[in-house]
Amino acid sequence: MDQQSKNDIALSIRDLSLSYQGNPSALKSISVDIPRHSVTAIIGASGCGKSSLLRCLNRMNDLIDGVQYSGEVLLEEMNVLSAETNVTALRRRVGMVFQRPNPFPKSVFDNVAYGLKLSGVKSQRHREELVEKALRSAALWDEVQYRLDESALQLSQGQQQRLVIARAIALEPDILLLDEPASSLDPISTLRLEELIYELKQTLTIIIVTHNMQQAARVSDFTAFMNQGHLVEFGPTDTIFTRPSMRETEDYITGRYG
Amino acid sequence: MLATTRTAFLQRTRWQRLRSLTMISVSASMVTATLLLTLGLFALLFISAMEWIFWIGEGGSADVASRLRDIALARPGLESSVIGLVPAIVGTVALVMLMTLFVAPLGVATALYLSEYARDTWYTQLIRISITNLAGVPAVIYGVFGLGFFVYGLGGQVDQLFFSDRLPSPTFGTPGLLWAALTLALVNLPVVIVAVTEGLDALPEDLRQASAALGATKNETVFYAVLPAAMPSVFTGLILSTARAAGEVAPLMLVGAVKFAPSLPVMTTAPFIGLEQKFMHLGFQLFDAALFSTVPPGGIGWVATIALTLVILIALLNIVAMSLRSVILRRQAVDSPF
Ligand SMILES: Nc1ncnc2c1ncn2[C@@H]1O[C@H](COP(=O)(O)OP(=O)(O)OP(=O)(O)O)[C@@H](O)[C@H]1O
Ligand SMILES: [Mg+2]
């Protein structure tokens, strides 16, 4: 691998396997390189391990009892899965947004400032600047600039989901993981979210799990298809959707099963 | 054949309708009766108290102002009885505040440990069940414990270590405000723990995940995300315990409440609070007035006055706690029950 292409890789996954207490092979030897400044969609039937894979990348699986994994995930020089890795530092570099919008029961401002406070941004003025920047990047500033002191729970679902994204990107992560971020949103909010994803990929790398084929086709540059813990196929989205090389992929995309 | 089934069916619905109508009217009249009873009780309390308060006559006060002063301030010897609402109010409030100071951190810490840190084993289950059951232990039992453990045990030790020059007359080795507050804190600890644990258990797992995903450690998540979100339930626990602490009499008789205290347990100069002092308490005054003292012009007036004061005080304390809670709730935008 030459220097140029190495710089184009945001995240390198090698032989990653994962087992839960009741499920010995949730992920089976997954290897893939995630290109930098791009959107990678992960598609596959329910229970095939998409969320599990995502949770490996920022070690959220650590919160589950009895999880075991093997293999390697490399984030530049950082070995994500190693026991010595500083999980706090890792999670600041790899942000995550969940299926249901989960803002804290705090004000809009405090939601975005939460991670900043923890990461040691002491001055209130500096925090205000960073919060504004994050809200602007999340295309939410215009809607909430006069409501910063209101409770985040009073925002609409779509706004809440963008707030949660703002909260994550306030820490200026390299990678943003989105686990079915649009599944609880209406079509308009979904569209806005997709536009936002398109904006965000200029500055960071996005990995998105989705059940919506059209969405995957619309927002992603690369697509990974998973089935029963295996990574079946990975490639440019155009190729995967028009000329998949595996029969399973074609069946799934054309809706013949799953 | 079909016709008879049909009429049977119709009859049954009519019978059922009648039954549900009866149920509704019975429960409605029960509610009304309860309401009327409470209102009547209050009216009775209020009228006898007012009648008694504004009594002016021979052998008593000269005018309304001096009458009110007599009722408000403690003075021993007035026909072998003690009048003095203000010292009792001050004593009650001091006791409740001090108790809250002990029970809030202890209760919250225990609840946090049980629901955030401890693993869910049969042992923690056992502890949880025991705590719930402790809420049912009569308060006077705690009073006995307080007398034995705090007053004689701890208090005796403190005296020997720090106040040995004053022995044999005890300083902390005798019932007093500190021991009363600690005893009541124990009485209310289970209530607070149960309320807060339930609040914590009801928080969505999402909240903890969101915090962890932002790089928060376990402790940071607990203190900056989970605890603030559970604040309303902390206040629920404190509201419950405030009412109990203000109204409790039995354990206080053992650990520090007295009929007449020569000085208030709070003062305007440092240290501001007399932890070792005996104090007057509305509940105890009520008990004493009902059993032992007649205060002119006699009858149930004095008792009614103390009772009314106690009820109003508890209501005020609750209003303070509830408004604090509703402020927090409003900030979180959870639907406020008020
Ligand atoms: N905490 C857990 N404990 C045990 N097994 C789990 C746990 N989480 C997931 N699994 C199992 O691991 C497998 C993969 O689950 P995962 O949630 O990653 O699937 P998914 O592709 O995200 O599905 P969905 O599309 O429904 O979200 C499933 O068989 C699931 O039952
Ligand atoms: Mg999933």
Side-chain angles (χ1 to χ4, degrees), chain B residues 112-146:
Chain B
L112 280 181
Y113 174 74
L114 282 179
S115 86
E116 299 298 314
Y117 290 98
R119 286 168 149 264
D120 198 18
T121 60
W122 65 269
Y123 183 65
T124 42
Q125 286 297 333
L126 187 72
I127 292 181
R128 278 182 176 223
I129 293 170
S130 315
I131 288 174
T132 314
N133 284 326
L134 274 181
V137 172
V140 69
I141 306 288
Y142 288 94
V144 175
F145 174 79

Side-chain angles (χ1 to χ4, degrees), chain A residues 97 99-103 138-140 143-144 152-166 181-194 196:
Chain A
V97 168
Q99 185 168 349
R100 268 195 309 154
N102 56 354
L140 193 59
E143 289 154 70
V144 301
L153 301 183
Q154 275 168 350
L155 301 179
S156 74
Q157 290 280 300
Q159 288 172 328
Q160 286 188 13
Q161 198 61 305
R162 275 178 285 141
L163 178 70
V164 170
I165 291 177
S183 61
S184 62
L185 303 186
D186 64 277
I188 306 277
S189 305
T190 302
L191 208 66
R192 300 205 56 174
L193 187 78
E194 288 175 9
L196 174 60

Side-chain angles (χ1 to χ4, degrees), chain B:
Chain B
M1 178 63 205
L2 194 72
T4 45
T5 342
R6 211 179 135 81
T7 33
F9 179 72
L10 275 180
Q11 273 164 359
R12 191 153 77 221
T13 50
R14 198 175 300 147
W15 158 236
Q16 279 175 338
R17 209 183 299 160
L18 191 72
R19 204 170 57 175
S20 68
L21 209 68
T22 326
M23 291 296 259
I24 290 173
S25 43
V26 165
S27 49
S29 47
M30 295 280 244
V31 170
T32 320
T34 319
L35 216 68
L36 283 178
L37 214 64
T38 321
L39 275 179
L41 205 73
F42 242 104
L44 199 70
L45 211 62
F46 190 76
I47 290 168
S48 356
M50 287 306 143
E51 224 172 39
W52 186 83
I53 289 175
F54 293 109
W55 172 78
I56 302 159
E58 67 253 48
S61 324
D63 52 49
V64 175
S66 61
R67 172 73 178 160
L68 287 180
R69 198 166 53 240
D70 283 347
I71 296 171
L73 302 176
R75 213 149 41 88
L78 189 76
E79 299 200 359
S80 80
S81 57
V82 176
I83 304 187
L85 279 179
V86 170
I89 294 173
V90 172
T92 310
V93 172
L95 179 73
V96 168
M97 296 289 165
L98 202 59
M99 179 222 55
T100 308
L101 224 57
F102 291 129
V103 81
L106 218 61
V108 170
T110 313
L112 280 181
Y113 174 74
L114 282 179
S115 86
E116 299 298 314
Y117 290 98
R119 286 168 149 264
D120 198 18
T121 60
W122 65 269
Y123 183 65
T124 42
Q125 286 297 333
L126 187 72
I127 292 181
R128 278 182 176 223
I129 293 170
S130 315
I131 288 174
T132 314
N133 284 326
L134 274 181
V137 172
V140 69
I141 306 288
Y142 288 94
V144 175
F145 174 79
L147 185 67
F149 182 73
F150 291 134
V151 178
Y152 295 145
L154 270 180
Q157 287 300 315
V158 169
D159 274 0
Q160 276 182 7
L161 287 175
F162 301 106
F163 301 100
S164 48
D165 46 326
R166 293 194 210 164
L167 282 173
S169 75
T171 310
F172 275 98
T174 172
L177 184 60
L178 177 66
W179 305 137
L182 278 172
T183 306
L184 279 190
L186 281 191
V187 172
N188 285 312
L189 199 53
V191 179
V192 176
I193 294 175
V194 168
V196 179
T197 320
E198 278 172 3
L200 290 171
D201 289 348
L203 291 178
E205 205 48 46
D206 279 12
L207 185 79
R208 300 172 179 95
Q209 289 198 351
S211 176
L214 291 166
T217 62
K218 173 87 189 177
N219 288 339
E220 287 168 340
T221 298
V222 167
F223 285 99
Y224 300 132
V226 173
L227 187 55
M231 249 2 222
S233 63
V234 173
F235 275 91
T236 305
L238 292 184
I239 288 168
L240 291 173
S241 62
T242 303
R244 254 184 107 180
E248 203 64 75
V249 182
L252 293 181
M253 292 166 66
L254 302 178
V255 290
V258 288
K259 181 176 178 176
F260 176 73
S263 59
L264 290 178
V266 290
M267 42 219 130
T268 50
T269 55
F272 301 109
I273 188 155
L275 289 178
E276 79 293 352
Q277 284 191 27
K278 306 234 181 340
F279 59 96
M280 291 165 72
H281 182 271
L282 280 172
F284 184 76
Q285 293 293 78
L286 184 59
F287 170 79
D288 178 75
L291 285 189
F292 303 116
S293 72
T294 49
V295 178
I300 202 174
W302 175 220
V303 178
T305 307
I306 308 177
L308 191 67
T309 315
L310 183 56
V311 170
I312 292 173
L313 183 71
I314 292 177
L316 283 179
L317 287 171
N318 277 352
I319 286 171
V320 170
M322 281 182 188
S323 37
L324 278 176
R325 181 172 65 169
S326 67
V327 166
I328 295 172
L329 281 172
R330 209 168 317 122
R331 237 189 261 149
Q332 299 184 346
V334 181
D335 279 335
S336 161
F338 309 109

Side-chain angles (χ1 to χ4, degrees), chain A residues 20-23 26 44-53 55 64 99 179-180 211:
Chain A
Y20 293 110
Q21 225 147 32
N23 185 347
S46 213
C48 70
K50 305 180 296 292
S51 301
S52 304
L53 175 60
R55 286 199 304 264
I64 302 169
Q99 185 168 349
D179 193 350
E180 300 180 43
H211 278 288

